[in-house]
Amino acid sequence: MTTLAQEPYEPFEESEESEGFEGAAGAAGAAGAAGAAGAAGHPEGYATHDVTNQPPPLAPYDASDDPVLLEGVRREGAVWAEDGLRRLGRRAGSAEAQEWGDLANRHEPVLRTHDRYGNRVDEVEYHPSWHHLMRVAVGKGLAGAPWADDRPGAHVARTAGGLVWGHTEAGHGCPTSMTYAAVPALRAQPELAKVYEPLLTAREYEPGLRTPTEKRGLLAGMGMTEKQGGSDVRTNTTAATPTAEPGVYTLRGHKWFTSAPMCDVFLVLAQASPAGGKGGKGGLSCFLVPRVLPDGTRNTFRIQRLKDKLGNRSNASSEPEFDGTVAWLVGPEGQGVKTIIEMVNCTRLDCVMSSATLMRKTLVEAGHHVRHRSAFGARLVDQPLMRNVLADLALESEAATTLTLRLAGAADRAVRGDAGEAAFRRIATAVGKYWVTKRGPAFTAEALECLGGNGYVEESGMPRHYREAPLLSIWEGSGNVNALDVLRALGRSPAAAQALFDELALARGADARLDTAVARLEAGLTGASETGARRLVELMALTLQASLLVRHAPPAVADAFCATRLGGDWGHSFGTLPDTADLDGILARALPGEG
Ligand SMILES: Cc1cc2nc3c(=O)[nH]c(=O)nc-3n(C[C@H](O)[C@H](O)[C@H](O)COP(=O)(O)OP(=O)(O)OC[C@H]3O[C@@H](n4cnc5c(N)ncnc54)[C@H](O)[C@@H]3O)c2cc1C
């Protein structure tokens, strides 16, 4: 293989990317100019009316202009990444990058099964905007790069990068997430990791199907779900037959969902038949499937269809079929779930991150709109009930971002050998995945409504964010599956439960409502049932979020969160904070400059 001299990893650094945005001062100026043009109406004017009371475009804006994000990054050990993060935030909020997000979703990927001569090619074509987004994401270290970086906080920096770059669009986060997540699973087979890891961690985006080892960077996907079962992968029927070469098998079967099928390599689950008297035990096992074999010929990876999905439309999700497909065993035979769970641990964190990103992005959009829109003689942002809605959304967004970064910090420290943080990560990631992704659809619907009818129209971008939100609680373990996984962690890993309560104890005595909720949680652990799993996990998530806010957020935020989410002084929809809530304090923090 080609040995690549790895550049030192500088998160978010990529010189050519520094062009194309003007920085905060320029951004504000440009927004003002756009607003003036809007107020003047169409350059040629309308015969019947002037266009008024419509907000100027939000872009360009700074997607990293969020104290919650920046404080969390410092707290979790990635202060060194802050300057790059700020640049990436301005890049994400640039008009150009925002347009890429829009175009990549309007011009959806197209499957080409055959070439003009009838040969199977099984390729997916994407709009150039998709490639622009991917190039920045990989180039800024949002795929596998942190695994090649020894600096404490490297995984936090990547998560924070996702929180800002995700303001462009969510679909391309799928292959970058899977590439990031494949690395620790692949390490179960060191000789494969030696070949592929340097390419999966490279900051080079090189699309197209070519011999993997001749490319400068690779992307990875995963194939677990089959028609008869996704959550219960033990029902997989894809068969893996050992070849004469040790560790090499051929696969026959199908997958019902395999996203980003133009990735270079996939981690795939299949049922191995015992390795023909060679000592293997058989059973569900994990395999590495490259789309192009080391000799440059195509592996069999027949893409039957692409899914017609609710959202996530920039990203292709396919149904591949394997027939004589060459695959390399990763980890021991029969240990497929144990091997691939290393990948799932990472993609679950990214689901939490993506939900938090959608919340922040739609909150920023809502805040911008209501600042520039008036009704009944006053700006919407000045109307008390609208302030309540925005403040309630802001609390939710802050809790989601803070928890995301805490989970990223735990992952970072766990990777570096911290057993306590590994135990915390084990349970808290499943808790966060359950709760934060569950809040996404309601949150994005409410933020969309802040724009009134404009929010329901595709041009606003809000329908796209709204459609994306439910996906994050489906893949990588649907709601029930995550809730049950928390019960499993409680049952099998006393250290995980202990780590969670140790974390909660750090906030003991700071807020009586939190203390009461933690006592309720402790009592609820006894005799926890499957039927009550969601209730229990919800309480875990809320106590965990509250404990973080009590320790790290301003009193206005922590108090309102505890009063509503724990103290019961709350309605059933967003915008029902009690009169005692300090709305001004919450909004000044959440929407700087939006007063
Ligand atoms: C856009 C998209 C892209 C995807 N990409 C990929 C991919 O790249 N690779 C891949 O492998 N998969 C992928 N998936 C599949 C996804 O991971 C599965 O859909 C998901 O894991 C759920 O599996 P399932 O669809 O088979 O549903 P099921 O397993 O049938 O579950 C249906 C419902 O039952 C619930 N349930 C399951 N077990 C229990 C239980 N014991 N008790 C109570 N409730 C239960 C689940 O929570 C869910 O709500 C993708 C899915 C989507 C929508």
Side-chain angles (χ1 to χ4, degrees):
M1 66 170 279
T2 314
T3 309
L4 292 169
Q6 283 273 309
E7 281 180 55
Y9 169 62
E10 285 303 327
F12 324 128
E13 284 309 325
E14 197 188 26
S15 54
E16 68 270 28
E17 301 297 350
S18 58
E19 63 195 21
F21 61 86
E22 301 160 82
H42 189 278
E44 304 199 350
Y46 287 99
T48 58
H49 65 285
D50 291 332
V51 178
T52 61
N53 201 24
Q54 290 280 350
L58 171 62
Y61 72 103
D62 180 353
S64 67
D65 188 12
D66 177 9
V68 180
L69 169 81
L70 299 173
E71 289 166 18
V73 165
R74 288 174 211 139
R75 202 164 50 237
E76 300 299 339
V79 65
W80 50 266
E82 198 172 322
D83 288 347
L85 189 62
R86 297 309 305 257
R87 282 192 291 279
L88 186 63
R90 291 191 290 272
R91 178 83 166 138
S94 69
E96 179 186 50
Q98 291 292 308
E99 189 182 27
W100 291 343
D102 181 39
L103 290 173
N105 283 276
R106 281 181 193 277
H107 302 278
E108 295 176 16
V110 176
L111 172 62
R112 295 177 60 81
T113 51
H114 296 80
D115 68 11
R116 58 184 285 202
Y117 305 105
N119 301 305
R120 272 206 91 111
V121 290
D122 298 292
E123 299 211 10
V124 178
E125 290 174 355
Y126 298 84
H127 189 266
S129 296
W130 167 269
H131 296 298
H132 294 321
L133 291 161
M134 286 296 298
R135 188 161 289 113
V136 176
V138 176
K140 301 293 186 188
L142 306 186
W147 301 107
D149 186 348
D150 289 339
R151 274 179 294 185
H155 296 265
V156 176
R158 174 189 172 272
T159 301
L163 283 166
V164 302
W165 186 245
H167 280 232
T168 55
E169 75 95 45
H172 76 293
C174 172
T176 54
S177 175
M178 293 192 293
T179 302
Y180 169 66
V183 173
L186 195 59
R187 286 179 176 177
Q189 207 67 35
E191 66 277 19
L192 289 177
K194 199 169 156 209
V195 175
Y196 289 100
E197 185 170 327
L199 296 164
L200 293 168
T201 58
R203 291 187 298 128
E204 300 286 349
Y205 175 60
E206 203 183 304
L209 295 177
R210 284 188 290 286
T211 310
T213 50
E214 290 174 6
K215 292 179 75 173
R216 290 174 301 145
L218 299 180
L219 296 175
M222 67 157 94
M224 297 193 287
T225 308
E226 296 185 1
K227 292 191 178 77
Q228 69 284 352
S231 309
D232 187 1
V233 290
R234 293 168 308 174
T235 63
N236 272 195
T237 58
T238 296
T241 308
T243 66
E245 194 178 335
V248 184
Y249 294 64
T250 56
L251 304 187
R252 189 160 200 281
H254 80 285
K255 294 292 162 184
W256 184 227
F257 280 94
T258 296
S259 290
M262 285 300 283
C263 285
D264 301 280
V265 296
F266 292 81
L267 290 184
V268 169
L269 290 183
Q271 303 283 359
S273 48
K278 298 189 189 90
K281 289 198 168 87
L284 192 65
S285 311
C286 181
F287 296 91
L288 180 82
V289 175
R291 286 211 54 189
V292 179
L293 293 167
D295 65 3
T297 57
R298 286 281 182 92
N299 208 356
T300 304
F301 193 102
R302 287 189 208 114
I303 303 175
Q304 309 295 61
R305 285 196 294 181
L306 297 186
K307 301 289 194 187
D308 182 9
K309 298 177 287 185
L310 170 67
N312 193 254
R313 298 191 76 97
S314 65
N315 181 33
S317 297
S318 73
E319 299 169 16
E321 196 176 65
F322 307 126
D323 194 4
T325 304
V326 184
W328 280 259
L329 183 67
V330 180
E333 266 187 10
Q335 301 282 307
V337 172
K338 197 169 171 220
T339 304
I340 212 160
I341 207 76
E342 289 297 325
M343 183 170 189
V344 174
N345 280 338
C346 294
T347 51
R348 280 187 181 170
L349 168 59
D350 282 0
C351 289
V352 184
M353 178 261 280
S354 296
S355 291
T357 307
L358 282 177
M359 289 182 190
R360 178 69 193 164
K361 167 67 174 165
T362 54
L363 175 64
V364 169
E365 293 277 1
H368 176 75
H369 183 90
V370 300
R371 191 162 68 109
H372 294 278
R373 177 87 170 172
S374 297
F376 303 102
R379 290 191 312 164
L380 289 172
V381 73
D382 296 325
Q383 312 230 10
L385 189 50
M386 181 57 89
R387 292 182 77 72
N388 197 328
V389 172
L390 284 176
D392 209 352
L393 291 173
L395 289 184
E396 196 70 32
S397 173
E398 172 150 2
T401 299
T402 304
L403 179 56
T404 300
L405 289 167
R406 175 66 186 90
L407 295 176
D412 194 85
R413 290 182 281 276
V415 163
R416 289 164 221 290
D418 184 327
E421 286 291 87
F424 176 75
R425 176 197 189 200
R426 165 69 188 93
I427 192 162
T429 304
V431 169
K433 160 75 163 95
Y434 171 75
W435 182 241
V436 177
T437 66
K438 211 34 95 196
R439 299 292 286 159
F443 186 109
T444 48
E446 195 66 60
L448 179 157
E449 190 174 316
C450 291
L451 277 69
N454 285 0
Y456 201 70
V457 173
E458 291 290 341
E459 289 177 314
S460 73
M462 299 300 261
R464 165 156 62 90
H465 305 312
Y466 175 63
R467 286 194 300 268
E468 187 74 21
L471 175 57
L472 297 161
S473 71
I474 293 176
W475 60 14
E476 310 312 317
S478 305
N480 288 353
V481 170
N482 260 276
L484 294 173
D485 188 44
V486 174
L487 288 196
R488 196 172 310 116
L490 287 172
R492 289 192 192 162
S493 169
Q498 188 57 49
L500 180 72
F501 281 101
D502 287 350
E503 176 83 10
L504 295 175
L506 296 174
R508 188 181 294 139
D511 187 291
R513 295 157 298 195
L514 175 56
D515 290 345
T516 305
V518 173
R520 205 150 41 93
L521 179 60
E522 273 167 330
L525 290 188
T526 317
S529 68
E530 283 197 21
T531 318
R534 281 188 180 224
R535 243 179 120 83
L536 186 72
V537 177
E538 183 173 319
L539 187 56
M540 278 181 186
L542 290 173
T543 51
L544 183 54
Q545 288 185 319
S547 74
L548 291 168
L549 296 183
V550 161
R551 288 164 57 206
H552 306 304
V557 172
D559 180 65
F561 191 90
C562 290
T564 52
R565 276 68 168 170
L566 297 179
D569 193 2
W570 202 24
H572 294 287
S573 60
F574 284 106
T576 53
L577 299 181
D579 286 346
T580 50
D582 176 4
L583 304 186
D584 292 347
I586 297 167
L587 289 176
R589 175 171 172 81
L591 301 169
E594 293 280 352

